[in-house]
């Protein structure tokens, strides 16, 4: 398993990682299913440190920062291929993003947000040192109320 910056050749592979409308909502809440290559390119263009994880020669995970200023980095667009979930790929990716946030961007804190229905994410992030600090009401793709839980880890906590 290794990580690297996203390349143009990764775009179609990343678009296939979210397999359902619900999975896409977790990682790209404003996107329409299926994720379009054009939409992904636009998103990457507005963000920082877009990263993929390769495992056994395949792109299996993706994340980036949607905020990377004023002492805070916020991780977004986190998605892990269904067939490798639970194998450590998500932890590997988030730990890499933490390193980028603290070392490259000199952040005092790194945050991530996770919807209440995303049990895998809600169980993963606290294991990596993230603590909840806020809850925001949102509306999902069906018009239902959902909770977006904001978590962060402070530099001194690592």
């Amino acid at each position: 398993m290794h990580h690297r910056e996203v390349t143009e050749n990764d775009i179609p592979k990343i678009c296939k990682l979210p397999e359902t409308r619900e999975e896409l909502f977790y990682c790209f809440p404003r996107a329409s299913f299926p994720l379009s290559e054009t939409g992904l390119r636009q998103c990457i263009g507005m963000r920082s440190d877009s990263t993929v994880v390769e495992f056994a020669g395949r792109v299996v995970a993706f994340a980036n920062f949607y905020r990377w200023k004023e002492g805070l980095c916020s991780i977004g667009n986190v998605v892990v291929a269904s067939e490798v979930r639970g194998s450590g790929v998500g932890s590997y990716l988030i730990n890499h993003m933490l390193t980028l946030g603290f070392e490259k961007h000199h952040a005092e804190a790194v945050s991530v947000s996770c919807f209440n229905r995303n049990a895998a994410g809600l169980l993963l992030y606290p294991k990596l040192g993230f603590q909840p600090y806020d809850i925001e009401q949102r509306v999902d793709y069906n018009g239902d109320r959902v909770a977006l839980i904001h978590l962060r880890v402070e530099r001194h906590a690592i």
Side-chain angles (χ1 to χ4, degrees):
M1 177 170 19
H2 71 277
H3 61 272
R4 60 175 173 75
E5 282 188 42
V6 169
T7 67
E8 178 62 28
N9 291 337
D10 297 324
I11 301 292
K13 298 168 191 169
I14 295 166
C15 286
K16 291 181 176 137
L17 292 176
E19 296 175 349
T20 67
R21 194 173 173 195
E22 184 173 31
E23 287 178 6
L24 180 61
F25 178 73
Y26 293 162
C27 59
F28 290 85
R30 293 183 181 99
S32 298
F33 186 79
L35 181 59
S36 75
E37 292 181 22
T38 300
L40 179 58
R41 278 187 200 93
Q42 289 173 345
C43 179
I44 289 170
M46 296 183 300
R47 295 181 177 221
S48 177
D49 300 284
S50 290
T51 302
V52 292
V53 173
E54 287 186 327
F55 182 73
R58 291 188 49 241
V59 170
V60 295
F62 172 75
N64 55 37
F65 291 125
Y66 64 88
R67 179 183 302 123
W68 60 97
K69 297 176 184 172
E70 300 171 4
L72 177 65
C73 285
S74 297
I75 303 169
N77 299 140
V78 179
V79 61
V80 176
S82 61
E83 67 270 13
V84 297
R85 290 182 193 145
S87 69
V89 170
S91 294
Y92 177 84
L93 176 60
I94 298 302
N95 279 320
H96 171 67
M97 299 306 290
L98 284 168
T99 299
L100 284 174
F102 291 129
E103 294 181 8
K104 177 181 177 183
H105 297 288
H106 309 288
E108 291 302 315
V110 175
S111 69
V112 68
S113 299
C114 189
F115 286 100
N116 61 296
R117 294 183 189 150
N118 184 353
L122 290 174
L123 294 171
L124 171 66
Y125 297 128
K127 286 182 184 178
L128 301 176
F130 288 86
Q131 296 297 313
Y133 69 92
D134 197 11
I135 299 175
E136 177 183 347
Q137 181 176 302
R138 290 281 186 97
V139 177
D140 72 6
Y141 51 89
N142 287 323
D144 296 330
R145 289 184 335 154
V146 293
L148 182 61
I149 301 160
H150 302 286
L151 307 101
R152 77 173 152 228
V153 60
E154 306 287 331
R155 174 189 291 275
H156 67 270
I158 294 192

